[in-house]
């Protein structure tokens, strides 16, 4: 995960559940510009640090899958503005 350009987190607060990994990822985000997309209805530390935080409402699993598929299919470099446009969301 440390060498990835894009980290997609679905329904998890990595900062609480995996603090060691989160500190490594935070360093990569700071030094290499790694991008984070978090899909979670809750607001938490990982979501606050994410480039994009999508708070899905209960029962929107199809929307979550669409977002995840689009994020994973994104292959032309990772920049938050382009990713938002591709996923069809605003800031």
């Amino acid at each position: 995960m440390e060498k990835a350009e894009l980290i997609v987190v679905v329904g998890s607060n990595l900062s609480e559940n995996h603090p060691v990994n989160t500190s490594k990822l935070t360093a990569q985000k700071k030094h290499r510009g790694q991008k984070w997309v978090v899909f979670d209805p809750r607001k938490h530390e990982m979501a606050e640090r994410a480039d994009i935080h999508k708070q899905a409402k209960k029962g929107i699993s199809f929307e979550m899958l669409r977002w995840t598929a689009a994020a994973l299919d994104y292959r032309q470099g990772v920049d938050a503005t382009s990713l938002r446009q591709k996923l069809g969301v605003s800031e």
Side-chain angles (χ1 to χ4, degrees):
M1 288 187 351
E2 294 169 36
K3 294 182 180 182
E5 292 180 20
L6 174 66
I7 299 293
V8 177
V9 179
V10 179
S12 178
N13 180 2
L14 290 181
S15 55
E16 183 177 300
N17 301 326
H18 304 284
V20 173
N21 287 339
T22 301
S23 67
K24 291 178 183 180
L25 291 175
T26 300
Q28 294 305 313
K29 184 170 181 45
K30 180 178 179 182
H31 298 294
R32 290 188 42 243
Q34 186 179 67
K35 303 297 180 193
W36 296 354
V37 177
V38 174
F39 302 105
D40 198 318
R42 303 165 294 168
K43 283 194 170 193
H44 47 68
E45 185 178 346
M46 191 78 182
E48 301 255 332
R49 294 180 180 180
D51 297 282
I52 299 173
H53 174 213
K54 177 68 173 171
Q55 291 180 282
K57 294 180 179 76
K58 192 173 184 176
I60 312 253
S61 57
F62 177 78
E63 181 72 8
M64 183 81 74
L65 288 174
R66 182 181 77 81
W67 272 73
T68 304
L72 293 174
D73 190 43
Y74 191 74
R75 305 212 191 286
Q76 299 174 350
V78 179
D79 89 47
T81 302
S82 297
L83 187 57
R84 279 189 184 93
Q85 289 172 347
K86 182 169 179 68
L87 298 176
V89 296
S90 60
E91 206 123 351

